[in-house]
Amino acid sequence: MKKIIVFLLCLTTALLSGCGDKFAKEKEAIAKTEKAVLSTQVPILIRPDPAKQPPPTKQEYAQYQAGLSQLVETEKKMLAQMRKSDAQIAAMLGKADSESEKKDLLAFRDKVRKDRIQFVKKISRGRLCGDTFTVGIGNTWQEIEMVYGKPLNTGNNVPGIKTYGYQGVKFEDMIGGGVPSPERAKKWVSRIVQCIEVTGRNVTSDAGVRIGMTRDEVRAVLQSKYVSKNPRMKSGEMKMESDGNPDGYDALFHFAMQDTEPYNLFFQFKKGKLIRYSVAPN
């Protein structure tokens, strides 16, 4: 009888210590891969700020573009490994025999994602603009996918426009300057996000803006986070243009978080509630 009790105690201890986890080896391998990927040395870039005085030189812009090219090539390799990790986690979830196993795997997947988010936030801090969503204007497409995963759609593949669509939020880039020639559109390669559009209630910006807010709530949130990057405005002054219509539009120019460069916000309201907003250039 004593032997049976001892055996049961040992078995219980083994299970509680994680020895009974049938996915333990797979998770350990993924964790090692992720750690190695996130230890990759990548260029830390500071995006030239056109508002500074004196303005950035051509050499500064050239150095930034060269660094960006190097960063993107490095991140492509990193993202390829991350996609393999995601596929392995998805396969394990498909093999889960119980809700407890599934819950444990989902927690593991969440931990992997949080580590990626911290990495992206660290390396991109010096090149973001306006309001952000963990990622934002200035992030590479690889960094968007590291944080948000594979996009639900990529738009219509229109030449000169690149789009990553997720539930409630869309990241976009475009050539600009009117309709591009076929030759120019064919050569164009997008590397970073230039515009963000939000329509879903599931998305809250880092400043705290979310769909469904009233005009006053939006202004109060922005006023608490806003830093003027317009040299013609007083520090802390927020100039928001509005048509005053419950079904109208507001615009905030040269908006920036404490540690981002200036950009513009455009808000659309219906019956006094926010239904859509964009972070975009003029």
Side-chain angles (χ1 to χ4, degrees):
M1 186 66 179
K2 288 183 178 178
K3 290 183 178 180
I4 295 175
I5 294 174
V6 170
F7 171 76
L8 290 174
L9 287 173
C10 291
L11 180 62
T12 301
T13 301
L15 290 173
L16 290 175
S17 66
C19 296
D21 183 357
K22 69 179 183 181
F23 299 114
K25 289 184 178 180
E26 290 92 334
K27 288 193 294 184
E28 183 180 1
I30 292 171
K32 287 183 178 179
T33 297
E34 288 288 313
K35 183 177 180 179
V37 170
L38 298 183
S39 297
T40 303
Q41 293 295 316
V42 300
I44 303 298
L45 306 178
I46 303 297
R47 185 170 176 168
D49 183 356
K52 80 170 188 177
Q53 295 298 325
T57 64
K58 289 183 179 181
Q59 184 179 11
E60 288 178 292
Y61 280 113
Q63 289 174 342
Y64 171 76
Q65 292 298 329
L68 182 59
S69 296
Q70 183 183 350
L71 174 67
V72 168
E73 289 307 311
T74 301
E75 289 182 340
K76 284 180 180 178
K77 297 176 183 178
M78 297 173 64
L79 186 58
Q81 290 296 323
M82 290 179 179
R83 286 170 177 165
K84 290 180 182 179
S85 294
D86 292 340
Q88 289 173 307
I89 294 172
M92 287 190 290
L93 281 166
K95 296 177 183 177
D97 295 324
S98 65
E99 284 302 313
S100 61
E101 284 183 350
K102 185 176 180 181
K103 184 177 179 180
D104 179 67
L105 287 169
L106 289 174
F108 176 71
R109 185 179 69 179
D110 188 52
K111 172 65 167 57
V112 168
R113 181 173 182 268
K114 286 180 179 178
D115 288 343
R116 293 177 184 177
I117 288 174
Q118 291 304 313
F119 172 79
V120 171
K121 288 174 70 174
K122 178 182 177 180
I123 66 170
S124 64
R125 188 174 300 145
R127 50 189 160 88
L128 300 184
C129 297
D131 198 358
T132 50
F133 304 79
T134 301
V135 291
I137 308 299
N139 274 109
T140 67
W141 294 104
Q142 289 72 31
E143 290 161 356
I144 299 295
E145 191 169 336
M146 287 178 191
V147 170
Y148 280 83
K150 188 176 180 180
L152 300 176
N153 62 73
T154 54
N156 298 319
N157 297 318
V158 178
I161 297 177
K162 183 169 183 177
T163 300
Y164 267 25
Y166 296 90
Q167 184 181 7
V169 61
K170 179 174 68 174
F171 301 92
E172 191 172 57
D173 187 21
M174 59 192 70
I175 292 180
V179 179
S181 65
E183 294 78 13
R184 186 182 175 211
K186 188 176 181 180
K187 293 179 180 179
W188 179 73
V189 176
S190 171
R191 294 182 294 181
I192 64 171
V193 174
Q194 182 181 191
C195 306
I196 301 173
E197 182 180 75
V198 183
T199 55
R201 289 178 176 267
N202 61 310
V203 180
T204 301
S205 78
D206 292 345
V209 179
R210 65 180 183 277
I211 299 298
M213 281 183 161
T214 65
R215 248 191 183 97
D216 289 341
E217 287 173 335
V218 170
R219 292 190 178 200
V221 165
L222 294 177
Q223 185 71 65
S224 68
K225 300 288 186 178
Y226 178 85
V227 177
S228 175
K229 298 298 178 79
N230 186 339
R232 293 171 295 180
M233 294 170 61
K234 297 178 181 179
S235 178
E237 180 183 358
M238 187 177 82
K239 185 179 181 181
M240 199 163 186
E241 297 186 6
S242 173
D243 60 11
N245 190 326
D247 294 336
Y249 298 83
D250 284 2
L252 177 60
F253 299 102
H254 298 287
F255 170 91
M257 300 284 283
Q258 287 280 356
D259 54 356
T260 66
E261 291 181 25
Y263 231 58
N264 303 316
L265 295 182
F266 302 94
F267 306 92
Q268 182 182 358
F269 295 88
K270 186 173 183 179
K271 296 182 179 179
K273 296 291 184 70
L274 184 66
I275 61 170
R276 180 190 304 271
Y277 74 103
S278 302
V279 187
N282 284 321

